[in-house]
Amino acid sequence: MSLFSELNAQGSVLRAALRGTATRNEIIVNNIVNADVPGFRAREVEFEEHLQEMIGTFPLNRSIDLENFSPTVRFRNPGFHYRTDGNSVDIDVEMVSLYQNSMRFDTIVSSVMVNSERMRTVLQGQ
């Protein structure tokens, strides 16, 4: 696998991870906004394990195309209600999740920037 192909594959993985963390951020914020709505059921996003499985299925000599990869959104703890009004949002859990997800997103963005710089170097032939 050429250096260009490897960097392109890394970029594809990073873009999929960005989509996953962005979706997770939207879901967490939605949970927080609806924390006082009776009957609201908190949702969560899963994508890391599925992304890891997809990456592992590709031979080293093929590029990884993850442009259509999408994270899974599901209800958190189906049937569980945090409060007597049927709402399942725990605001403390959501705030910690939002912080953790923000740190992941920042780390992935930094990796995208490094990958882009490497790609630019390869394209310039330096």
Side-chain angles (χ1 to χ4, degrees):
M1 178 181 260
S2 71
L3 181 58
F4 181 78
S5 296
E6 185 176 323
L7 290 172
N8 194 37
Q10 289 173 1
S12 182
V13 171
L14 291 170
R15 286 188 300 277
L18 278 175
R19 284 193 305 277
T21 54
T23 301
R24 180 176 285 142
N25 197 70
E26 291 173 16
I27 295 301
I28 294 169
V29 168
N30 187 55
N31 289 344
I32 292 169
V33 167
N34 289 290
D36 293 328
V37 175
F40 182 81
R41 294 172 38 196
R43 295 182 301 158
E44 64 186 0
V45 174
E46 297 177 345
F47 72 91
E48 290 91 349
E49 288 181 15
H50 184 58
L51 182 58
Q52 187 70 29
E53 289 171 9
M54 289 183 73
I55 294 168
T57 63
F58 287 91
L60 291 175
N61 60 352
R62 288 183 34 198
S63 64
I64 300 172
D65 180 18
L66 297 171
E67 297 309 315
N68 296 318
F69 174 79
S70 61
T72 302
V73 179
R74 66 178 182 90
F75 289 106
R76 182 182 304 131
N77 301 324
F80 172 78
H81 303 291
Y82 180 67
R83 300 188 323 232
T84 57
D85 67 359
N87 189 300
S88 65
V89 176
D90 181 339
I91 196 70
D92 294 329
V93 168
E94 300 301 331
M95 295 305 289
V96 169
S97 296
L98 185 62
Y99 174 76
Q100 289 173 334
N101 194 60
S102 295
M103 294 298 102
R104 283 186 191 106
F105 187 83
D106 290 347
T107 300
I108 296 167
V109 167
S110 294
S111 297
V112 167
M113 291 170 47
V114 167
N115 193 63
S116 296
E117 185 59 37
R118 288 179 181 157
M119 185 72 79
R120 185 176 11 262
T121 300
V122 167
L123 291 173
Q124 290 175 349
Q126 297 177 354

